[in-house]
């Protein structure tokens, strides 16, 4: 234990700096700690005003309104809490979500903030934390947002596990949560998950479109392989439920790890079956490795994938092997080829352009889920102000909200609010996404 | 028949990667007595740096060289900043220091490169080669070749160079080595530089097969550790044998049950160790201390 | 100077901790209470790990499996078969201890790295089982609907109830560990830790003792896991993997393996450090998140271990040394080295 003093000092300096930073601002009490609480019962009584306010549901609904009037007074900031899986296993999904939220926060504040029910413009303050893709951390962070930061609404988390872990906390604290994770169990049964909403498409929806497509093409003998985590597991489960009804038979059912470096062994086994289609349910890089392995092994049957490959990475990584791959996904990837009459086209192109400008690369569908979470929360706060139960009631009233994932129609029975228009089949041709049917 | 050949090719390729990682573990352990849990991060750095340098326009051989040098430098840093100040500490304390270092390196990689996986083109492009009914990807041959080359190079280094002999002396008997004037500081540093370089080689040859991601080091470090332990922890040839054994177990276990392949591999390994508690592939040189 | 063989100083600190935790709900918000709950849960598991890895010097890289076994056993029995948590928790703990005892008999014949790898393997086998036995465990998606421990008769809110439950058990287990290490059993474990061969030559049945302490520390971890399950009310395989095994070892070592206090201290330091980084970084460096926390956490680990390789419990000992007699404060290895082997021999004979 002989350590030269110099080294001790080097180690201690950052620690000291941190401690100082942690202690100094903690003394000042939060100014927004006690928001005025409108009577919670007032909110659900007025669903009728929907058509007037939301007739033109293009993204910057508040902008148009704000510009028409003269500049309103500035109110106290509105807080929005956010929890994403920024480091750890979910980071490839969580980072674009975080980046999207940061971009939107700046965008809203650049034009003054959220116009609340009091007619004032409220700057938005996003309090964003990383849960390290850990469920126990998710719970702690949720409590932190509720108890310390006193946010009236929370966005996130990124993955189903990290979301489900905090559902109990959310329900007890009675603060609405809008999740960017897919599992249907996040919002169902709705009666027990009154405070929880989500924006991504559920697997049931994805599979209904995929199975329909397979059936139409006469691909009824399917080899299935999926990653052995919640994403792959839920995909496999729902596919096994959806396939028999459409007369589709699963002739191989293989598993691989998210970090496996080679799936040739599984594919060799599949090569020995009489399957006429191959479905790979995973995200890159594992999804790309499997696709490339299949091409290298000379597997010629058509390859299908999941909405998990909805970003440029998949194509960059798999190279020529990506060509011909077909997958069900939201419309973001094929926005520019949509008909001009498509309600989502403008929103999708705007998001793509803004993200491209801010971060120098195209957005992902995951960032799109966060985009939906953010604007849906803002939409509710415009009517409800910073009051958790009023926000919750307003969320159930949201109709015809045109988002990135789809067009949302929430209701007391449906906390996901999407229909099958939120899923389209996309084919990779010459390294580009093309809508197909 | 061709299926079995295919599993063999897959197993040898995977096994070679594990073997290279295991070689890094063994180099550090036999000289310093430290189990270096940051070994996987050296692999990640090799893959990431190579992809980065190629992306900014460096030719592949230069990029590979720079990546290996970069990882070796980080290896030196881990030793100098983390381990040397703590010399004489318990084995577990050393392990925790390497875990801390690996966490910091992973965080830095996430900050620098983000979460997007990065591709690296195959060293020699072209369709897979048909061999006894198995499709052999060309990059697999590079992986096998690199493993063999590293093993031979390490062997030559340990047996013919002065530094190599000093390292070996340390491995056999640290106290005696010190008495004849071999500085444990220099040998420790050399071992970490060497293991950084060996890890990076694994990363560079692996990247075209499975891409580079900032968090790839975790899993590879784990597999490499298993390979090294199987080989007796202090024996380079044993480490290679251990790594290959693990790769083959996984490849041949997959068609039986891809869901349970990892569990099956470990059950077989645990049973094997119980039957041969001295390591599966003979004893090593012994272990020294930092 | 001592009660039940445990130095009075230890009882005083234990009582002080109990008072501080007991009074915490008066002073801080529920968020800080939930941090304390987390410290208590992890602390329980690390105290058990200290007995195994600190005293008997047997490394386990698979302790998350026993933590998970306790969590799943208790959680499943309560959620699927509606058993009361008052029954499922003891069942989970005893069951996990039994499993550890059965597995330990063959596995603990290995030593050093072979033991590390074998325990790592057990952890991975457990993880695979959780993922694949979907009918039972809910697979990778996990399952929810685990009831909280029924303590509604206590006049507190749910967070305070969890706090008192977790810390009552945590401090009881800590007391048990303190008592154990000060009995002849503790000296046997240290003797095994110092030199298994010597301990054996003196007539100790080292194999049996190793299995016993392995099972005991697994039961500690299982109780922690069971409490986690009933606190979060949702379980999936993710928190019970290799990374958590490492994290437990990190906590125990940072705190100081040479004393059972180190387990609790280490858990506290790791949890508080994580939370401090999370709240301090955005304030000092606007716009930062996740990535920097990871880097600084890693560097902090390196710094702590490089500066205090024996763990931070030793630091407390140095500070306390100003007023407490030296002999009572010596580390177990220092104080016991001389006498323990001889003493232990008498136990074995």
């Amino acid at each position: 234990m002989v350590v030269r003093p110099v080294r001790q000092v080097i180690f201690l300096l950052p620690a000291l700096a941190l401690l100082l930073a942690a202690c100094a601002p903690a003394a000042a009490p939060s100014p927004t700690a006690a928001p005025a609480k409108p009577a919670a019962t007032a909110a659900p009584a007025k669903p009728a005003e929907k058509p007037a306010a939301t007739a033109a549901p293009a993204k910057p609904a508040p902008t148009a309104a704000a510009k028409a009037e003269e500049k309103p007074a500035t109110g106290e900031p509105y807080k929005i809490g956010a929890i994403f899986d920024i480091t750890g296993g979910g980071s490839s999904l969580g980072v674009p979500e975080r980046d999207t939220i940061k971009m939107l926060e700046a965008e809203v504040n650049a034009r003054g903030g959220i116009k609340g029910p009091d007619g004032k413009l409220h700057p938005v303050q996003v309090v964003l934390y990383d849960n390290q893709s850990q469920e126990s951390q998710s719970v702690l962070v949720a409590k932190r947002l509720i108890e310390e930061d006193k946010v009236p609404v929370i966005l996130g988390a990124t993955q189903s596990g990290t979301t489900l872990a905090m559902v109990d906390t959310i329900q007890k604290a009675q603060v609405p949560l809008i999740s960017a994770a897919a599992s249907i169990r996040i919002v169902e049964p709705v009666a027990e998950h009154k405070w929880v909403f989500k924006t991504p498409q559920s697997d049931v929806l994805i599979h209904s479109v995929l199975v329909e497509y397979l059936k139409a093409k006469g691909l009824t003998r399917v080899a299935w392989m999926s990653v052995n985590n919640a994403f792959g597991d839920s995909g496999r489960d729902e596919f096994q439920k959806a396939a028999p009804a459409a007369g589709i038979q699963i002739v191989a059912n293989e598993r691989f790890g998210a970090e496996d470096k080679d799936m040739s062994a599984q594919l060799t086994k599949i090569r020995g079956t009489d399957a006429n289609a191959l479905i790979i349910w995973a995200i890159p890089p594992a999804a790309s490795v499997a696709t490339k392995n299949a091409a290298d092994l000379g597997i010629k049957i058509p390859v299908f994938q999941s909405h998990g490959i909805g970003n440029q990475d998949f194509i960059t990584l798999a190279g020529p092997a990506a060509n011909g791959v077909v997958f069900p996904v939201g419309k973001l990837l094929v926005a520019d080829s949509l008909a001009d009459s498509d309600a989502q086209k403008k929103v999708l192109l705007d998001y793509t352009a803004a993200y491209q400008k801010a971060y120098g690369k195209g957005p992902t569908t995951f960032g799109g889920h966060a985009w939906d979470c953010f604007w849906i929360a803002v939409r509710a706060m415009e009517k409800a102000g910073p009051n958790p139960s009023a926000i919750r009631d307003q969320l159930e009233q949201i109709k015809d909200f045109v988002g990135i994932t789809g067009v949302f129609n929430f209701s007391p029975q449906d906390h996901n609010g999407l229909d099958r228009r939120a899923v389209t089949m996309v084919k990779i041709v010459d390294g580009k996404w093309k809508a197909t049917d | 028949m061709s299926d079995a050949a295919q599993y063999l090719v897959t197993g040898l390729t995977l096994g070679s990667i594990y073997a290279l990682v295991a070689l890094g573990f063994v180099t550090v352990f036999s000289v310093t007595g430290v189990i270096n849990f940051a070994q996987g991060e050296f692999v990640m750095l090799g893959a990431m740096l190579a992809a980065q340098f190629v992306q900014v326009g460096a030719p592949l051989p230069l990029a590979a060289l720079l990546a290996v040098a970069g990882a070796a430098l980080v290896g030196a840093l881990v030793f100098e900043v983390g381990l040397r100040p703590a010399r004489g500490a318990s084995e577990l304390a050393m392990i925790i220091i390497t875990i801390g270092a690996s966490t910091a390196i992973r965080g830095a990689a996430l900050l620098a490169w983000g979460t997007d996986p990065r591709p690296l083109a195959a060293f020699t492009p072209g369709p897979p080669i048909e061999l006894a009914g198995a499709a052999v990807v060309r990059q697999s041959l590079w992986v096998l070749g690199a493993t063999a080359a590293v093993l031979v190079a390490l062997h030559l280094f340990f047996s013919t160079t002065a530094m190599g002999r000093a390292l070996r002396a340390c491995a056999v008997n640290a106290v005696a080595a010190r008495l004849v004037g071999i500085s444990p500081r220099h040998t420790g540093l050399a071992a970490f530089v060497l293991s950084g370089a060996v890890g990076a080689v694994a990363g560079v040859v692996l990247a075209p097969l499975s891409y580079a991601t900032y968090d790839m080091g975790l899993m590879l470090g784990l597999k490499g550790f298993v390979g090294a332990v199987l080989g007796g922890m202090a024996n380079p040839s044993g480490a290679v044998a251990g790594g290959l054994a693990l790769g083959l177990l996984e490849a041949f276990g997959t068609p039986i049950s891809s869901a349970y392949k990892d569990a099956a591999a470990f059950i077989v390994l645990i049973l094997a160790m119980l039957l041969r508690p001295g390591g599966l592939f003979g004893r090593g040189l012994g272990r020294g201390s930092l | 100077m001592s009660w039940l063989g445990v130095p009075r100083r230890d009882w005083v600190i234990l009582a002080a901790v109990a008072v501080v935790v007991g009074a915490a709900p008066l002073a801080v918000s529920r968020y800080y209470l939930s941090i304390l709950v987390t410290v208590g849960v992890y602390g329980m598991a690390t105290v058990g790990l200290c007995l195994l890895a600190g005293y008997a010097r047997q490394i386990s890289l698979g302790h998350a499996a026993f933590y998970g076994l306790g969590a799943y056993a208790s959680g499943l029995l309560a959620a699927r078969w509606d058993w009361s948590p008052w029954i499922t928790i003891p069942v989970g703990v005893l069951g996990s201890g039994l499993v550890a005892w059965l597995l330990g008999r063959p596995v603990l014949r290995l030593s050093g790295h072979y033991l590390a790898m074998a325990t790592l393997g057990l952890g991975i086998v457990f993880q695979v089982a959780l993922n694949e036995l979907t009918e039972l465990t809910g697979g990778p998606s996990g399952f929810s609907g685990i009831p909280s421990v029924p303590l509604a008769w206590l006049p507190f809110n749910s967070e305070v109830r969890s706090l008192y439950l977790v810390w009552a058990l945590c401090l009881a287990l800590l007391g048990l560990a303190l008592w154990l290490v000060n009995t002849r059993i503790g000296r046997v474990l240290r003797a095994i830790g110092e030199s298994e061969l010597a301990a054996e030559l003196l007539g100790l049945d080292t194999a049996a003792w190793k299995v016993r302490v392995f099972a005991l520390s697994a039961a500690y971890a299982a109780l922690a896991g069971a409490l986690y399950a009933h606190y979060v009310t949702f379980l999936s395989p993710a928190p019970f993997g290799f990374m958590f095994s490492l994290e437990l070892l990190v906590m125990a070592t940072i705190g100081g393996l040479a004393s059972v206090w180190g387990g609790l201290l280490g858990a506290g330091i790791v949890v508080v450090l994580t939370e401090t980084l999370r709240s301090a970084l955005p304030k000092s460096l606007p716009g930062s998140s996740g990535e920097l926390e990871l880097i600084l956490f890693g560097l902090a680990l390196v710094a702590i271990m490089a500066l205090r390789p024996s763990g931070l419990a030793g630091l407390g000992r140095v500070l306390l040394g100003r007023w407490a007699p030296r002999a009572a404060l010596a580390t177990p290895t220092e104080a016991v080295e001389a006498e323990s082997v001889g003493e232990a021999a008498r136990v074995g004979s």
Side-chain angles (χ1 to χ4, degrees):
Chain A
M1 252 321 288
V2 188
V3 183
R4 268 178 286 141
V6 182
R7 190 169 274 115
Q8 294 210 356
V9 173
I10 292 174
F11 280 134
L12 287 175
L13 272 180
L16 265 179
L18 269 177
L19 272 179
L20 284 176
C23 299
S30 164
T32 52
K37 277 187 185 155
T41 44
K46 41 176 184 176
E49 64 181 30
K50 166 196 80 185
T54 57
K59 177 189 65 180
T63 331
K67 270 180 188 158
E69 307 158 23
E70 54 202 271
K71 204 156 197 189
T74 303
E76 86 277 12
Y78 279 178
K79 284 189 174 183
I80 296 180
I83 305 172
F84 293 116
D85 303 18
I86 296 167
T87 57
S91 56
S92 62
L93 288 58
V95 168
E97 291 174 349
R98 188 246 340 239
D99 292 347
T100 298
I101 295 293
K102 295 231 155 201
M103 180 180 94
L104 297 180
E105 182 189 16
E107 187 182 324
V108 168
N109 286 333
R111 59 166 194 255
I114 302 171
K115 186 159 174 279
D118 53 6
K120 291 181 184 167
L121 268 182
H122 300 266
V124 63
Q125 183 193 349
V126 175
V127 187
L128 191 146
Y129 295 120
D130 172 26
N131 62 18
Q132 305 177 351
S133 306
Q134 288 180 27
E135 290 162 11
S136 52
Q137 295 281 333
S138 248
V139 177
L140 276 182
V141 171
K143 286 187 173 152
R144 183 183 184 100
L145 285 171
I146 295 164
E147 301 289 333
E148 290 299 299
D149 300 306
K150 310 227 186 278
V151 300
V153 56
I154 298 176
L155 318 180
T158 303
Q159 300 184 94
S160 301
T162 44
T163 302
L164 284 165
M166 57 183 174
V167 164
D168 185 57
T169 303
I170 291 291
Q171 286 289 118
K172 278 191 188 137
Q174 309 208 324
V175 170
L177 175 79
I178 312 174
S179 172
S183 171
I184 189 80
R185 295 195 302 147
I186 291 169
V187 291
E188 280 181 8
V190 178
E192 290 165 30
H193 293 191
K194 235 183 103 193
W195 294 86
V196 189
F197 300 78
K198 80 178 179 94
T199 60
Q201 311 93 334
S202 294
D203 280 323
V204 186
L205 201 60
I206 297 271
H207 278 311
S208 68
V209 176
L210 174 64
V211 163
E212 204 171 281
Y213 184 90
L214 290 170
K215 195 178 167 191
K217 301 280 173 194
L219 301 170
T220 52
R221 299 184 62 76
V222 167
W224 172 273
M225 62 191 277
S226 54
V227 62
N228 62 359
N229 58 22
F231 177 75
D233 181 59
S234 163
R236 177 171 50 114
D237 221 34
E238 293 299 334
F239 188 75
Q240 281 171 337
K241 281 184 208 156
I248 291 170
Q249 203 185 340
I250 301 170
V251 298
N253 195 336
E254 296 295 320
R255 228 74 57 80
F256 55 87
E259 305 198 35
D260 280 5
K261 302 294 168 207
D262 189 306
M263 291 76 171
S264 302
Q266 289 90 334
L267 287 159
T268 303
K269 191 174 170 195
I270 286 173
R271 192 173 59 176
T273 68
D274 63 345
N276 54 16
L278 167 63
I279 303 181
I280 300 169
W281 212 258
I283 64 172
S288 313
V289 174
T291 310
K292 216 161 69 163
N293 289 160
D296 287 337
L297 286 173
I299 291 176
K300 297 278 188 277
I301 55 178
V303 177
F304 293 83
Q305 300 248 0
S306 72
H307 49 309
I309 64 162
N311 54 37
Q312 190 60 42
D313 286 340
F314 174 77
I315 297 177
T316 316
L317 296 179
N323 288 330
V325 168
V326 179
F327 60 108
V329 72
K331 291 175 182 166
L332 178 64
L333 305 182
V334 291
D336 45 5
S337 64
L338 292 174
D340 285 339
S341 60
D342 191 296
Q344 279 182 271
K345 182 166 185 174
K346 180 173 159 27
V347 176
L348 295 172
L349 289 177
D350 285 352
Y351 174 49
T352 307
Y355 195 92
Q356 183 81 38
K357 191 171 159 223
Y359 299 108
K361 57 184 175 187
T364 66
T365 49
F366 306 111
H369 300 323
W371 191 100
D372 295 337
C373 291
F374 181 85
W375 284 114
I376 286 173
V378 167
R379 177 79 83 86
M381 287 176 101
E382 281 166 8
K383 296 222 182 98
N387 177 302
S389 70
I391 291 176
R392 195 211 79 87
D393 294 337
Q394 280 303 326
L395 285 173
E396 283 187 348
Q397 307 297 331
I398 283 185
K399 300 283 182 241
D400 296 323
F401 175 83
V402 180
I404 301 297
T405 310
V407 178
F408 290 86
N409 286 292
F410 286 126
S411 73
Q413 290 78 39
D414 186 357
H415 281 194
N416 187 197
L418 292 168
D419 56 32
R420 63 147 300 168
R421 286 175 299 164
V423 184
T424 181
M425 295 301 288
V426 169
K427 184 175 195 171
I428 298 172
V429 182
D430 295 331
K432 298 263 185 297
W433 296 297
K434 292 272 182 292
T436 179
D437 43 31
Chain B
M1 186 54 223
S2 74
D3 279 3
Q6 193 67 54
Y7 298 136
L8 185 68
V9 170
T10 303
L12 287 177
T13 310
L14 279 176
S16 297
I17 295 292
Y18 301 159
L20 278 173
V21 187
L23 278 174
F25 272 102
V26 165
T27 307
V28 164
F29 180 78
S30 59
V31 176
T32 66
V34 174
I35 300 177
N36 176 23
F37 273 77
Q39 187 63 39
E41 307 310 322
F42 297 157
V43 182
M44 178 273 289
L45 283 174
M48 273 296 196
L49 287 172
Q52 177 70 57
F53 286 127
V54 166
Q55 198 181 333
V56 298
L60 180 70
L62 179 66
L65 206 66
L66 287 174
V68 171
L73 194 68
V74 174
L77 211 64
V78 169
F79 176 77
E80 280 295 317
V81 176
L83 291 162
R84 208 165 61 78
R87 66 180 172 274
S90 70
E91 195 178 353
L92 254 179
M94 297 290 195
I95 290 181
I96 304 303
I97 288 177
T98 64
I99 291 175
S102 100
T103 309
I105 295 172
R106 200 160 53 246
L110 178 59
L111 193 63
W113 291 304
T115 57
D116 296 348
R118 280 154 189 265
L120 184 65
F123 294 0
T124 43
I129 298 161
E130 199 75 18
L131 206 72
V136 185
V137 184
R138 285 160 199 245
Q139 189 64 26
S140 287
L141 300 175
W142 279 98
V143 172
L144 294 175
T147 308
V150 167
L151 187 62
V152 170
L154 276 182
H155 184 74
L156 288 177
F157 172 77
F158 279 125
S159 56
T160 61
T161 66
M163 184 47 118
R165 289 211 196 90
L167 288 181
R168 234 173 36 161
C170 249
V172 175
N173 187 332
V175 179
R178 202 165 180 168
L179 288 176
V180 298
I182 296 171
S183 151
R185 174 178 174 181
H186 291 147
T187 50
L189 183 62
F192 265 85
V193 168
L194 208 57
S195 76
V198 170
V201 170
V204 174
V205 294
L206 173 64
L209 283 177
S210 72
Y211 321 116
T213 55
Y214 84 95
D215 58 356
M216 66 193 288
L218 281 177
M219 177 58 92
L220 285 168
L222 192 73
K223 300 273 166 97
F225 171 68
V226 172
V229 171
L230 283 180
M233 204 66 207
N235 174 348
S237 327
V240 171
L244 288 175
L246 182 61
L248 288 170
L249 261 179
E250 285 183 3
F252 281 94
T254 301
I256 301 165
S257 164
S258 53
Y260 288 96
K261 71 176 159 66
D262 286 333
F266 272 99
I267 290 171
V268 170
L269 294 180
I270 293 173
L271 290 178
M273 282 192 308
L274 287 172
L275 297 174
R276 285 206 55 179
L280 299 188
F281 302 102
R283 298 209 167 265
L285 300 165
R287 52 161 288 203
S289 61
L290 196 60
Chain C
M1 257 331 277
S2 66
W3 181 56
L4 291 175
V6 180
R8 197 181 58 183
R9 181 188 55 108
D10 286 318
W11 293 122
V12 171
I13 300 178
L14 197 71
V17 173
V19 169
V20 168
V21 171
L26 302 173
V28 297
S29 76
R30 295 174 71 157
Y31 160 63
Y32 290 99
L33 297 186
S34 64
I35 292 183
L36 273 179
V37 172
T38 311
V39 171
V41 167
Y42 291 171
M44 222 178 286
T46 42
V47 166
L49 196 57
C50 277
L51 291 176
L52 179 71
Y55 283 81
R57 303 251 176 106
Q58 306 294 312
I59 292 184
S60 168
L61 287 180
H63 240 51
F66 297 111
Y67 179 75
L69 196 59
Y72 266 84
S74 187
L76 281 173
L77 288 174
R80 297 270 159 98
W81 288 280
D82 289 328
W83 291 18
S84 159
W86 291 121
I87 300 169
T88 63
I89 294 176
V91 167
V93 171
L94 293 177
S96 305
L98 183 68
V99 169
W101 188 73
L102 291 173
L103 288 173
R105 281 156 60 100
V107 165
L108 285 162
R109 279 165 44 204
L110 302 166
S111 61
H113 318 110
Y114 303 109
L115 177 62
M117 208 210 88
T119 49
L120 185 160
L122 290 180
I124 288 182
V125 171
F126 176 71
Q127 183 83 13
V128 170
L130 288 188
N131 273 312
E132 299 303 335
L133 300 173
T134 38
E135 298 286 309
L136 180 68
T137 64
S141 318
F143 70 100
S144 43
I146 303 169
S148 303
V149 178
L151 282 170
W153 46 271
L154 283 176
F156 310 114
N157 67 42
S158 61
E159 200 68 52
V160 179
R161 291 201 295 264
S162 302
L163 179 80
Y164 286 169
L165 174 71
V166 165
W167 276 86
L169 289 168
C170 179
L171 293 179
L173 287 192
L174 187 66
L176 175 67
L178 282 170
W179 173 72
L180 268 182
V181 300
N182 282 290
T183 61
R184 289 182 298 182
I185 296 171
R187 290 187 279 277
V188 170
L189 296 183
R190 281 179 210 134
I192 292 173
E194 289 303 320
S195 165
E196 219 172 295
L197 188 63
E200 203 149 302
L201 286 175
L202 288 165
L204 289 173
D205 186 355
T206 57
W209 281 108
K210 284 195 295 181
V211 174
R212 281 173 206 150
V213 69
F214 187 65
L216 181 68
S217 87
Y220 269 62
L223 179 57
L227 291 174
Y228 167 84
H230 293 283
Y231 177 61
V232 175
T233 72
F234 163 80
L235 284 179
S236 88
F240 309 109
F242 173 63
M243 287 311 288
F244 190 67
S245 292
L246 275 192
E247 212 176 318
L248 285 176
L249 211 54
V250 165
M251 291 188 231
T253 315
I254 274 201
L257 282 167
S259 129
V260 288
W261 285 106
L264 193 58
L265 185 66
I269 287 169
V270 167
V271 173
V272 171
L273 181 66
T274 310
E275 290 300 312
T276 309
L277 285 176
R278 177 147 46 219
S279 63
L281 274 186
K283 284 174 190 156
S284 45
L285 295 161
S288 70
S289 54
E291 300 95 335
L292 275 174
E293 287 166 38
L294 206 59
I295 298 176
L296 288 177
F297 183 78
L299 290 180
L301 279 191
V302 174
I304 292 173
M305 289 326 287
L307 296 176
R308 290 223 57 96
S310 58
L312 290 170
L315 203 63
R317 195 171 288 122
V318 172
L319 298 175
L320 288 169
R322 289 171 191 276
W323 55 268
R326 174 86 185 96
L329 297 172
T331 62
T333 40
E334 284 164 12
V336 171
E337 230 162 303
E339 62 194 281
S340 71
V341 173
E343 174 87 23
R346 260 171 277 141
V347 182
S349 57

